[in-house]
PDB file of all heavy atoms in Angstrom:
ATOM      1  N   SER H  18      43.068 122.275  37.279  1.00  0.00           N
ATOM      2  CA  SER H  18      43.538 121.471  38.425  1.00  0.00           C
ATOM      3  C   SER H  18      43.449 119.976  38.155  1.00  0.00           C
ATOM      4  O   SER H  18      43.289 119.189  39.067  1.00  0.00           O
ATOM      5  CB  SER H  18      42.720 121.842  39.669  1.00  0.00           C
ATOM      6  OG  SER H  18      41.362 121.501  39.490  1.00  0.00           O
ATOM      7  N   GLY H  71      32.269 120.010  10.923  1.00  0.00           N
ATOM      8  CA  GLY H  71      33.009 118.882  10.368  1.00  0.00           C
ATOM      9  C   GLY H  71      32.098 117.690  10.144  1.00  0.00           C
ATOM     10  O   GLY H  71      30.915 117.712  10.480  1.00  0.00           O
ATOM     11  N   HIS H  86      34.600 116.101  29.234  1.00  0.00           N
ATOM     12  CA  HIS H  86      35.621 116.227  30.269  1.00  0.00           C
ATOM     13  C   HIS H  86      35.033 117.024  31.416  1.00  0.00           C
ATOM     14  O   HIS H  86      33.885 117.444  31.375  1.00  0.00           O
ATOM     15  CB  HIS H  86      36.909 116.829  29.706  1.00  0.00           C
ATOM     16  CG  HIS H  86      36.799 118.265  29.303  1.00  0.00           C
ATOM     17  ND1 HIS H  86      36.952 119.302  30.194  1.00  0.00           N
ATOM     18  CD2 HIS H  86      36.522 118.845  28.104  1.00  0.00           C
ATOM     19  CE1 HIS H  86      36.798 120.451  29.558  1.00  0.00           C
ATOM     20  NE2 HIS H  86      36.530 120.200  28.288  1.00  0.00           N
ATOM     21  N   GLY H  92      39.696 118.118  38.089  1.00  0.00           N
ATOM     22  CA  GLY H  92      39.625 117.991  36.631  1.00  0.00           C
ATOM     23  C   GLY H  92      39.151 116.640  36.152  1.00  0.00           C
ATOM     24  O   GLY H  92      38.452 115.906  36.858  1.00  0.00           O
ATOM     25  N   GLY H 148      49.982  96.966  39.349  1.00  0.00           N
ATOM     26  CA  GLY H 148      51.035  96.310  38.584  1.00  0.00           C
ATOM     27  C   GLY H 148      52.373  97.022  38.710  1.00  0.00           C
ATOM     28  O   GLY H 148      53.351  96.598  38.108  1.00  0.00           O
ATOM     29  N   THR H 149      52.408  98.115  39.476  1.00  0.00           N
ATOM     30  CA  THR H 149      53.662  98.834  39.735  1.00  0.00           C
ATOM     31  C   THR H 149      53.755  99.106  41.228  1.00  0.00           C
ATOM     32  O   THR H 149      52.752  98.992  41.949  1.00  0.00           O
ATOM     33  CB  THR H 149      53.728 100.188  38.994  1.00  0.00           C
ATOM     34  OG1 THR H 149      52.895 101.139  39.664  1.00  0.00           O
ATOM     35  CG2 THR H 149      53.277 100.065  37.544  1.00  0.00           C
ATOM     36  N   PRO H 157      39.985  90.321  37.857  1.00  0.00           N
ATOM     37  CA  PRO H 157      39.045  90.666  36.784  1.00  0.00           C
ATOM     38  C   PRO H 157      37.592  90.582  37.247  1.00  0.00           C
ATOM     39  O   PRO H 157      37.223  89.659  37.974  1.00  0.00           O
ATOM     40  CB  PRO H 157      39.343  89.612  35.704  1.00  0.00           C
ATOM     41  CG  PRO H 157      40.057  88.505  36.398  1.00  0.00           C
ATOM     42  CD  PRO H 157      40.746  89.101  37.590  1.00  0.00           C
ATOM     43  N   ARG H 169      41.776  85.091  24.834  1.00  0.00           N
ATOM     44  CA  ARG H 169      42.441  83.790  24.783  1.00  0.00           C
ATOM     45  C   ARG H 169      42.004  83.022  23.545  1.00  0.00           C
ATOM     46  O   ARG H 169      42.818  82.471  22.805  1.00  0.00           O
ATOM     47  CB  ARG H 169      42.097  82.993  26.049  1.00  0.00           C
ATOM     48  CG  ARG H 169      42.938  81.742  26.278  1.00  0.00           C
ATOM     49  CD  ARG H 169      42.436  80.916  27.450  1.00  0.00           C
ATOM     50  NE  ARG H 169      41.126  80.330  27.213  1.00  0.00           N
ATOM     51  CZ  ARG H 169      40.902  79.235  26.472  1.00  0.00           C
ATOM     52  NH1 ARG H 169      41.910  78.616  25.888  1.00  0.00           N
ATOM     53  NH2 ARG H 169      39.676  78.769  26.311  1.00  0.00           N
ATOM     54  N   THR H 223      51.274 121.838  52.347  1.00  0.00           N
ATOM     55  CA  THR H 223      52.585 122.493  52.425  1.00  0.00           C
ATOM     56  C   THR H 223      52.475 123.986  52.713  1.00  0.00           C
ATOM     57  O   THR H 223      53.477 124.616  53.064  1.00  0.00           O
ATOM     58  CB  THR H 223      53.369 122.360  51.097  1.00  0.00           C
ATOM     59  OG1 THR H 223      52.666 123.109  50.084  1.00  0.00           O
ATOM     60  CG2 THR H 223      53.502 120.918  50.657  1.00  0.00           C
ATOM     61  N   HIS H 257      35.323 140.297  37.809  1.00  0.00           N
ATOM     62  CA  HIS H 257      36.630 140.069  37.203  1.00  0.00           C
ATOM     63  C   HIS H 257      37.755 140.467  38.161  1.00  0.00           C
ATOM     64  O   HIS H 257      37.655 141.464  38.861  1.00  0.00           O
ATOM     65  CB  HIS H 257      36.757 140.883  35.905  1.00  0.00           C
ATOM     66  CG  HIS H 257      35.900 140.334  34.810  1.00  0.00           C
ATOM     67  ND1 HIS H 257      36.037 140.703  33.494  1.00  0.00           N
ATOM     68  CD2 HIS H 257      34.892 139.431  34.835  1.00  0.00           C
ATOM     69  CE1 HIS H 257      35.142 140.051  32.751  1.00  0.00           C
ATOM     70  NE2 HIS H 257      34.440 139.288  33.544  1.00  0.00           N
ATOM     71  N   ASN H 363      23.039 103.973  20.626  1.00  0.00           N
ATOM     72  CA  ASN H 363      22.846 104.435  19.253  1.00  0.00           C
ATOM     73  C   ASN H 363      21.908 105.624  19.294  1.00  0.00           C
ATOM     74  O   ASN H 363      20.689 105.471  19.316  1.00  0.00           O
ATOM     75  CB  ASN H 363      22.289 103.349  18.354  1.00  0.00           C
ATOM     76  CG  ASN H 363      22.388 103.768  16.891  1.00  0.00           C
ATOM     77  OD1 ASN H 363      22.551 104.954  16.592  1.00  0.00           O
ATOM     78  ND2 ASN H 363      22.297 102.819  15.986  1.00  0.00           N
ATOM     79  N   ARG H 369      11.438  99.018  18.613  1.00  0.00           N
ATOM     80  CA  ARG H 369      11.795  97.715  19.204  1.00  0.00           C
ATOM     81  C   ARG H 369      13.233  97.287  18.893  1.00  0.00           C
ATOM     82  O   ARG H 369      13.832  96.556  19.661  1.00  0.00           O
ATOM     83  CB  ARG H 369      10.808  96.633  18.766  1.00  0.00           C
ATOM     84  CG  ARG H 369       9.453  96.796  19.421  1.00  0.00           C
ATOM     85  CD  ARG H 369       8.651  95.506  19.545  1.00  0.00           C
ATOM     86  NE  ARG H 369       7.357  95.820  20.139  1.00  0.00           N
ATOM     87  CZ  ARG H 369       7.086  95.707  21.444  1.00  0.00           C
ATOM     88  NH1 ARG H 369       7.997  95.257  22.281  1.00  0.00           N
ATOM     89  NH2 ARG H 369       5.893  96.045  21.914  1.00  0.00           N
ATOM     90  N   THR H 372      14.739  98.870  21.905  1.00  0.00           N
ATOM     91  CA  THR H 372      14.339  98.421  23.242  1.00  0.00           C
ATOM     92  C   THR H 372      14.654  96.948  23.479  1.00  0.00           C
ATOM     93  O   THR H 372      14.883  96.543  24.616  1.00  0.00           O
ATOM     94  CB  THR H 372      12.853  98.694  23.515  1.00  0.00           C
ATOM     95  OG1 THR H 372      12.067  98.101  22.471  1.00  0.00           O
ATOM     96  CG2 THR H 372      12.582 100.183  23.594  1.00  0.00           C
ATOM     97  N   TYR H 429      38.269  98.196  11.305  1.00  0.00           N
ATOM     98  CA  TYR H 429      39.052  96.999  11.588  1.00  0.00           C
ATOM     99  C   TYR H 429      38.898  96.600  13.050  1.00  0.00           C
ATOM    100  O   TYR H 429      38.662  95.429  13.384  1.00  0.00           O
ATOM    101  CB  TYR H 429      40.529  97.271  11.260  1.00  0.00           C
ATOM    102  CG  TYR H 429      41.449  96.101  11.533  1.00  0.00           C
ATOM    103  CD1 TYR H 429      41.757  95.186  10.525  1.00  0.00           C
ATOM    104  CD2 TYR H 429      42.016  95.914  12.795  1.00  0.00           C
ATOM    105  CE1 TYR H 429      42.595  94.106  10.778  1.00  0.00           C
ATOM    106  CE2 TYR H 429      42.847  94.840  13.062  1.00  0.00           C
ATOM    107  CZ  TYR H 429      43.140  93.940  12.045  1.00  0.00           C
ATOM    108  OH  TYR H 429      43.964  92.874  12.294  1.00  0.00           O
ATOM    109  N   ALA H 430      39.015  97.586  13.923  1.00  0.00           N
ATOM    110  CA  ALA H 430      38.917  97.317  15.357  1.00  0.00           C
ATOM    111  C   ALA H 430      37.524  96.798  15.712  1.00  0.00           C
ATOM    112  O   ALA H 430      37.378  95.858  16.502  1.00  0.00           O
ATOM    113  CB  ALA H 430      39.235  98.599  16.140  1.00  0.00           C
ATOM    114  N   PHE H 492      50.629 117.550  23.600  1.00  0.00           N
ATOM    115  CA  PHE H 492      50.968 116.323  22.861  1.00  0.00           C
ATOM    116  C   PHE H 492      51.221 116.664  21.387  1.00  0.00           C
ATOM    117  O   PHE H 492      50.381 117.254  20.722  1.00  0.00           O
ATOM    118  CB  PHE H 492      49.835 115.304  22.925  1.00  0.00           C
ATOM    119  CG  PHE H 492      49.703 114.557  24.229  1.00  0.00           C
ATOM    120  CD1 PHE H 492      50.265 115.039  25.402  1.00  0.00           C
ATOM    121  CD2 PHE H 492      48.994 113.358  24.285  1.00  0.00           C
ATOM    122  CE1 PHE H 492      50.132 114.342  26.605  1.00  0.00           C
ATOM    123  CE2 PHE H 492      48.858 112.654  25.471  1.00  0.00           C
ATOM    124  CZ  PHE H 492      49.415 113.151  26.636  1.00  0.00           C
ATOM    125  N   GLY H 495      49.095 111.769  19.335  1.00  0.00           N
ATOM    126  CA  GLY H 495      48.303 111.232  20.432  1.00  0.00           C
ATOM    127  C   GLY H 495      48.587 109.805  20.867  1.00  0.00           C
ATOM    128  O   GLY H 495      48.096 109.368  21.902  1.00  0.00           O
ATOM    129  N   ALA H 512      57.622 120.260  36.233  1.00  0.00           N
ATOM    130  CA  ALA H 512      57.842 120.891  37.548  1.00  0.00           C
ATOM    131  C   ALA H 512      59.335 120.992  37.844  1.00  0.00           C
ATOM    132  O   ALA H 512      59.814 122.017  38.353  1.00  0.00           O
ATOM    133  CB  ALA H 512      57.126 120.091  38.636  1.00  0.00           C
TER     134      ALA H 512
END
Side-chain angles (χ1 to χ4, degrees):
Chain H
S18 64
H86 69 85
T149 76
R169 192 187 67 79
T223 66
H257 289 194
N363 192 342
R369 288 206 182 264
T372 54
Y429 179 93
F492 284 20

